[in-house]
Amino acid sequence: MYSPAHVEIESAINQVCEAYKAGDKNALDNIYDVLMPFSLHVCSRTCGRYIHDEDEEASIARLAILEALEKYQADKGSFFIFLGHIIRSRIIDFKRKEKKQGIIPFKFLSKNGSSLSEKIDDRFFEGIIDDLARQQEIKKLKEMLLDFDICFEELVQVSPRQPKSRENAHKIACLIAEQEELKAYLLAKKQLPLKELESNWQINRKAADRYRKYIITAVLINIYDFPYLQGYLLPVQGVNNNGS
Amino acid sequence: MAAKKSIVMEKGNGWAIILTPDGEYKKIKTHDYLEVGQLYQAKAPIPQYAAAAVLLLALILAGIDYFSVQAYAQVSNLAELGVNRWGRVVAVQPKNSGGQHVLEAVNVKHDKLEKAVEKICRQTLRESKAANRVKKIEFSVNTAGKVNPKARDKILDKMNQGYKKAVHQQIKVKKTHIIPQNKVKPDREDPQKNINPDVERENQEIVKSKEVTDSNQLTNQNKAHGNRNPENSKEKGNAVSKGKK
């Protein structure tokens, strides 16, 4: 479940916790950018709506981070899960106070967010951690696609509708990712090596050109470190020279 | 193993772009709370489409059933009426020019059989009177498909009732035109004017013909009651009822 990056973060957090307990209050600055998005996600899922940095729930999350750093012990499990439980408890307490004072808004429970009365387990927070990791991947991919003048809206238009067409497109993408010369051509020229594909691998030039942007996206996902997104490309059983 | 969910790649106000488990990028309309990177499970098709489809199918089937002819009711050689299971006339076929003429004068489609027969008989009697001839009206029923004596007899009953109503109406009309001699008021413009003996003779004839008509109807009714016995049917699958003027 946890990616290598996540394991690194966990070990970094352990060091920060030790430093914070020792009296170094500035140690939090090193991991604040990592902890805050997770905390806001937990708040959002708990409240069932998007929580901004300036919302009251975000302030509660910041206080919960400090509390977690003081109380966390490495042998008790993942820091993120521990932090998630504390944030959720504080948010629930806050909502109950609001309810008593009659401040709570009418649409208190949303369809997608967790109900405050629901019991949740560690998988809830693990899901949030995975979502954050996926979010990072998607953000990175989006930035890469800008270099190729591709956006997700365009991918919706050019996405092959037929499963067979999608399979063929993925085969072409895998071929390009595996062949160094084709990969180098793509990254340098920001274009598909259609001539080489047609002459050396007998790939249908028209089909490749029609789904050009989709194939380029698939190549980038294959080449770079996108473990979550790679699972959404069709499995391809290897490519022979005629591209079939 | 749980079904794989789609990944939210981009979101906006009321929409989101998702990457489906089979590698397709789709834009969906949604007001759900979603975050980029979140897993999304597509909802099942809205059941109201299914409900609308079922309703449409029911209407089509009801329409087909309404226009399905269960039996053909023949009024003499004038017209053939196609009757559905609810006793309504859904098809009309004139058998000759006379029938065509009658059907042009009265619209019997979608009427109850009894009402349709009443209209046809009334129009026929009216035309016969105008032409000063006796018109023989016969009823017959031909059930489409299986022979059903009960349904056949029911249709014949309705046709007889329709005929009776038409004739009864005709009698009522005649009654209002018959003025006994002792009730005739003297002409005020010309008090010296005597009653024309020819007119008096004509009135007497009208009264007599009415009596003849009444007696014929009684005979017809008796015959109609007698012909309901299926053993008296001459043709297999058909029952005949006669009405005379």
Side-chain angles (χ1 to χ4, degrees):
Chain A
M1 190 244 350
Y2 294 136
S3 59
H6 182 81
V7 172
E8 277 181 37
I9 291 169
E10 284 274 357
S11 65
I13 288 170
N14 287 337
Q15 290 172 9
V16 166
C17 282
E18 296 300 323
Y20 189 81
K21 282 174 191 173
D24 182 9
K25 302 298 176 195
N26 294 329
L28 176 62
D29 298 340
N30 299 332
I31 54 164
Y32 182 82
D33 289 338
V34 174
L35 294 179
M36 206 51 209
F38 172 78
S39 306
L40 288 176
H41 259 73
V42 173
C43 292
S44 297
R45 293 287 177 86
T46 305
C47 300
R49 63 179 181 86
Y50 190 75
I51 301 295
H52 297 88
D53 211 31
E54 55 272 9
D55 288 339
E56 213 165 334
E57 287 84 351
S59 309
I60 295 168
R62 283 186 207 102
L63 293 171
I65 290 171
L66 296 174
E67 188 184 337
L69 283 170
E70 282 173 9
K71 293 180 181 176
Y72 175 67
Q73 288 171 5
D75 55 346
K76 294 285 168 87
S78 164
F79 174 80
F80 281 98
I81 292 174
F82 181 73
L83 173 62
H85 278 293
I86 292 178
I87 292 171
R88 189 173 156 81
S89 304
R90 297 295 164 263
I91 294 287
I92 289 170
D93 291 340
F94 171 69
K95 292 293 180 190
R96 280 185 185 146
K97 273 185 195 167
E98 271 193 337
K99 199 177 174 183
K100 277 183 186 172
Q101 290 167 9
I103 301 168
I104 195 162
F106 183 73
K107 272 195 175 175
F108 172 64
L109 300 172
S110 87
K111 288 176 194 174
N112 288 321
S114 290
S115 160
L116 291 185
S117 58
E118 269 179 26
K119 285 189 179 173
I120 47 121
D121 55 15
D122 292 352
R123 280 177 294 181
F124 175 75
F125 303 108
E126 286 166 9
I128 294 176
I129 293 168
D130 286 340
D131 289 351
L132 280 168
R134 249 180 257 115
Q135 195 180 71
Q136 292 301 315
E137 277 188 22
I138 291 167
K139 191 179 169 186
K140 194 173 160 190
L141 177 66
K142 196 172 179 179
E143 284 166 11
M144 282 185 187
L145 289 174
L146 279 175
D147 287 341
F148 292 84
D149 197 25
I150 299 172
C151 63
F152 289 130
E153 286 262 13
E154 282 178 305
L155 287 174
V156 173
Q157 308 294 327
V158 302
S159 203
R161 298 278 179 261
Q162 300 298 323
K164 203 168 179 189
S165 307
R166 267 199 305 280
E167 198 181 322
N168 288 336
H170 285 135
K171 281 180 183 171
I172 296 170
C174 282
L175 173 65
I176 297 171
E178 285 167 9
Q179 301 295 324
E180 287 299 326
E181 57 191 42
L182 297 176
K183 187 166 67 177
Y185 183 98
L186 173 68
L187 294 174
K189 305 267 184 182
K190 310 291 182 205
Q191 286 176 9
L192 282 183
L194 292 171
K195 200 176 171 185
E196 286 78 7
L197 286 169
E198 192 182 25
S199 58
N200 298 340
W201 281 276
Q202 286 78 48
I203 298 289
N204 186 332
R205 187 172 180 148
K206 259 189 180 176
D209 195 40
R210 188 190 301 169
Y211 303 120
R212 177 174 52 87
K213 292 187 177 182
Y214 182 84
I215 293 170
I216 291 171
T217 309
V219 171
L220 294 175
I221 291 172
N222 266 318
I223 293 172
Y224 293 104
D225 183 25
F226 297 120
Y228 287 100
L229 296 176
Q230 278 170 4
Y232 281 74
L233 299 178
L234 288 173
V236 179
Q237 309 240 335
V239 180
N240 51 20
N241 279 343
N242 63 6
S244 59
Chain B
M1 190 176 160
K4 213 171 169 184
K5 295 181 183 178
S6 304
I7 301 178
V8 177
M9 303 296 281
E10 199 170 303
K11 70 176 179 89
N13 193 10
W15 59 271
I17 293 173
I18 59 170
L19 174 61
T20 64
D22 49 4
E24 193 182 353
Y25 294 91
K26 276 185 178 174
K27 191 169 186 178
I28 56 165
K29 282 186 185 174
T30 178
H31 292 282
D32 293 347
Y33 164 67
L34 293 173
E35 292 278 356
V36 172
Q38 190 178 330
L39 294 178
Y40 174 79
Q41 181 73 53
K43 287 174 187 163
I46 302 168
Q48 65 208 41
Y49 289 142
V54 167
L55 185 65
L56 185 65
L57 187 66
L59 284 170
I60 291 169
L61 289 173
I64 291 169
D65 194 38
Y66 180 84
F67 287 103
S68 293
V69 173
Q70 294 287 311
Y72 291 97
Q74 191 142 343
V75 182
S76 293
N77 56 350
L78 289 172
E80 191 175 70
L81 310 176
V83 183
N84 69 8
R85 63 149 89 202
W86 287 293
R88 289 210 176 248
V89 175
V90 291
V92 176
Q93 182 70 36
K95 287 292 179 189
N96 58 17
S97 56
Q100 177 78 33
H101 195 258
V102 167
L103 291 174
E104 276 169 11
V106 293
N107 183 15
V108 297
K109 242 189 173 175
H110 306 299
D111 281 345
K112 285 275 186 187
L113 178 63
E114 188 183 314
K115 184 80 182 169
V117 168
E118 184 193 334
K119 279 183 182 176
I120 291 172
C121 288
R122 199 184 304 144
Q123 182 64 21
T124 307
L125 291 170
R126 208 176 285 151
E127 286 180 4
S128 299
K129 187 198 168 193
N132 199 25
R133 62 171 190 270
V134 173
K135 182 71 185 173
K136 188 176 161 181
I137 299 176
E138 287 182 350
F139 298 143
S140 68
V141 173
N142 191 9
T143 52
K146 271 189 179 176
V147 175
N148 187 346
K150 231 179 178 179
R152 195 177 59 230
D153 291 341
K154 203 173 169 183
I155 291 170
L156 277 171
D157 275 345
K158 292 226 180 278
M159 293 177 89
N160 273 325
Q161 282 168 29
Y163 171 77
K164 281 179 199 174
K165 279 186 181 173
V167 169
H168 184 69
Q169 189 74 15
Q170 195 70 15
I171 292 169
K172 261 186 168 173
V173 167
K174 282 188 181 173
K175 271 187 178 172
T176 59
H177 285 119
I178 296 168
I179 305 167
Q181 280 299 300
N182 58 356
K183 298 286 180 191
V184 172
K185 289 182 181 174
D187 194 350
R188 284 189 184 173
E189 287 178 7
D190 184 7
Q192 299 301 316
K193 186 179 173 185
N194 292 325
I195 293 163
N196 192 337
D198 291 333
V199 170
E200 189 182 347
R201 200 180 309 118
E202 199 179 323
N203 286 342
Q204 294 283 342
E205 282 173 5
I206 289 169
V207 171
K208 277 186 187 170
S209 71
K210 177 201 156 294
E211 286 170 356
V212 168
T213 308
D214 284 346
S215 68
N216 281 344
Q217 281 163 13
L218 281 170
T219 313
N220 178 49
Q221 282 171 18
N222 291 336
K223 279 184 183 174
H225 283 296
N227 280 341
R228 273 191 203 159
N229 190 350
E231 292 173 359
N232 292 338
S233 298
K234 287 181 184 176
E235 295 175 38
K236 199 176 178 182
N238 282 329
V240 177
S241 171
K242 292 185 181 179
K244 285 185 181 178
K245 181 191 167 199

